[in-house]
Amino acid sequence: MTGPTRLSLDAAQALLARALERADTSPANAAIVAAALVRAEADGQRGHGLSRLPSYAAQSRVGKVDGHAEPRVEEVRPAALRIDAAHGFAYPAMAVALPELGARARTHGIAAAAIHRSHHFGVAGHPCEDLAAEGLAAFIYGNSPRAIAPAGAARPLLGTNPIAFAAPMAEGPPLVIDLALSRVARGKILAAQKAGETIPEGWALDPEGQPTTDPAAAIAGSMIAIGEAKGAALALMVEVMAAALAGAQFGFEASSLMNAEGGPPAIGQTILAVDVSALSGGAFGARMGDLAAAYAEVGARLPGTRRLAARAAAEREGIAVAPALLAEIQALAE
């Protein structure tokens, strides 16, 4: 059996961009989307990485996602933006939002952007990390098609609804906390399905509400919320912050992000950026240094540090791509 092929990050990005362009995505958008998928793969987030490319391409080809969309920014208040992703990929809308948020947060102390008519936005921690690298704390809320049943219900209604946070550290890379509100991100189940692997019991239920290790049955069924009723309540909070606040579709109204069937999902994301130096009176850096020292003293690691090791290895060695997935992407790029 042929093993995985290693691609450099640049080679992977070029291949994905070419595949997206062949699927009727503009070169500018293809480059932004390809960079986001490769960044996810490099960080070890396979469910948001190269495994997404075939479904992205299929959706762009039929117009479920508009590969040529150009995000539109509306300033509704000096520190509040409303961004129309125009049924395109979410990444170009994020690329427009982040510089605006950074500038406005530094001027006003805090800034917010609400994105509507959007799509899958990949690793939630990445836009927060980018803002934190500029000295800001950031939160992001994003809803997704229904996958989790509310407490007391048997039918999925809420999305896995990722939430992420990042903050600058006194030294070194930002602190990043990124979690879906299911026990695992649904993308991990998609990646397992693509790889022909089973999933651990306890991740999901099949359509009859029974535990399953079959990723196809899990996708057709429902995810188990992290913390059960508490996780479902947090998923509801994200639904409000990402969909209601942005004027986007709720998860139970959105079409799947995983196939080319149906209309645009039109989901939403909300990003908040905070000038930590201003609000802390300049004490934030020292306080974060004390917090990191306290973690080290008890032998704990701060969340998100594993991604840094994976990222460094990918930069040195490239990323390993399974034969079937690589062949599929190469065929799309021809």
Side-chain angles (χ1 to χ4, degrees):
M1 181 180 295
T2 304
T5 298
R6 285 206 169 269
L7 298 177
S8 72
L9 300 186
D10 287 346
Q13 187 170 329
L15 176 63
L16 267 60
R18 191 163 64 250
L20 287 165
E21 288 184 46
R22 296 288 191 274
D24 198 21
T25 298
S26 72
N29 285 345
I32 293 171
V33 174
L37 295 181
V38 171
R39 182 181 181 183
E41 193 80 24
D43 278 10
Q45 298 291 330
R46 291 170 53 211
H48 297 303
L50 272 61
S51 65
R52 290 277 179 170
L53 188 281
S55 66
Y56 277 18
Q59 291 175 63
S60 182
R61 190 177 295 109
V62 302
K64 181 175 179 175
V65 60
D66 182 354
H68 295 265
E70 296 183 4
R72 293 186 288 273
V73 179
E74 177 188 1
E75 181 185 281
V76 294
R77 296 290 189 276
L81 303 173
R82 180 168 163 77
I83 299 176
D84 181 3
H87 294 314
F89 291 106
Y91 307 107
M94 294 284 172
V96 168
L98 297 191
E100 292 282 352
L101 280 170
R104 291 162 196 264
R106 282 186 287 272
T107 298
H108 301 285
I110 187 167
I115 303 172
H116 67 288
R117 297 208 300 172
S118 193
H119 196 261
H120 174 250
F121 72 114
V123 177
H126 282 165
C128 293
E129 182 180 8
D130 291 344
L131 288 167
E134 296 186 9
L136 304 168
F139 296 85
I140 192 166
Y141 309 86
N143 77 323
S144 57
R146 60 183 171 192
I148 293 174
R155 188 160 54 92
L157 188 69
L158 304 166
T160 56
N161 292 7
I163 181 172
F165 164 80
M169 298 295 296
E171 296 180 2
L175 166 68
V176 179
I177 299 171
D178 180 349
L179 62 155
L181 295 176
S182 53
R183 285 186 181 169
V184 296
R186 204 175 195 198
K188 289 188 176 181
I189 294 179
L190 176 65
Q193 184 183 36
K194 281 279 182 189
E197 300 168 354
T198 59
I199 60 172
E201 190 168 310
W203 281 13
L205 305 175
D206 67 16
E208 285 71 49
Q210 299 300 311
T212 183
T213 59
D214 179 357
I219 290 168
S222 60
M223 306 290 292
I224 298 174
I226 188 170
E228 299 178 349
K230 291 181 180 179
L234 285 171
L236 175 59
M237 178 194 75
V238 174
E239 202 75 50
V240 172
M241 288 295 294
L245 185 60
Q249 293 207 127
F250 291 117
F252 57 83
E253 298 170 322
S255 61
S256 174
L257 298 173
M258 298 181 180
N259 59 50
E261 298 170 9
I267 52 176
Q269 294 96 30
T270 294
I271 316 169
L272 306 178
V274 181
D275 185 334
V276 295
S277 180
L279 268 68
S280 68
F284 189 84
R287 291 276 67 204
M288 291 299 286
D290 292 341
L291 180 61
Y295 259 70
E297 186 177 344
V298 298
R301 65 175 182 85
L302 289 169
T305 53
R306 288 179 183 171
R307 81 187 189 284
L308 300 174
R311 185 181 299 174
E315 289 171 352
R316 290 192 312 270
E317 304 163 9
I319 52 178
V321 187
L325 177 59
L326 180 59
E328 187 174 8
I329 295 172
Q330 288 173 329
L332 292 169
E334 291 176 354

